[in-house]
Amino acid sequence: ILGEMTRNLSMMINLVDQLSLKDAHNRLAQWLESWLVKNHPDAGDRDVLIVLPYTQSEVAAQIGTVREVVSRGFSRMEKEGILKASGKRVTIISRGKLREMANA
């Protein structure tokens, strides 16, 4: 029980840090990077096409923002050459730039 409580506390502390110290675009990049690591661990740094299992509204709820901010975040990442997005289909072009934005 103590181990489970420790894991939950660590997750909550991480969430508070993300919400208080990072802007929504950085949280979106961090969410996307962690989703890639979890669901496509062998992707490496090459271009990868993914189909997200969530709508922009669902992603927004997970990172503590609204759908419009997620849409603007994807647009910003497109302009910066990080990805190309069309609905739930996202092609990651520069994994390095995505990591930089996630860690900013």
Side-chain angles (χ1 to χ4, degrees):
I1 294 175
L2 188 56
E4 184 65 26
M5 288 177 65
T6 301
R7 280 189 291 281
N8 287 341
L9 181 59
S10 292
M11 286 177 17
M12 290 178 71
I13 289 170
N14 186 33
L15 183 58
V16 167
D17 284 344
Q18 288 178 22
L19 290 174
S20 62
L21 300 176
K22 293 186 179 233
D23 73 15
H25 294 153
N26 297 104
R27 291 195 313 267
L28 175 60
Q30 186 175 35
W31 180 88
L32 191 55
E33 174 62 22
S34 65
W35 190 88
L36 276 169
V37 167
K38 182 178 174 185
N39 295 285
H40 295 277
D42 59 336
D45 287 333
R46 69 186 192 291
D47 290 6
V48 60
L49 170 66
I50 57 175
V51 179
L52 295 174
Y54 306 106
T55 64
Q56 289 186 357
S57 294
E58 292 168 329
V59 172
Q62 291 182 38
I63 64 170
T65 191
V66 294
R67 186 202 59 78
E68 291 79 9
V69 173
V70 171
S71 179
R72 284 194 300 266
F74 280 132
S75 294
R76 176 179 169 187
M77 287 187 233
E78 283 190 70
K79 289 177 186 169
E80 293 182 13
I82 296 172
L83 57 78
K84 289 188 180 187
S86 177
K88 291 184 176 185
R89 300 174 69 84
V90 178
T91 302
I92 305 299
I93 300 168
S94 175
R95 193 80 184 267
K97 288 182 182 179
L98 179 64
R99 283 188 201 108
E100 284 177 27
M101 182 180 254
N103 294 322

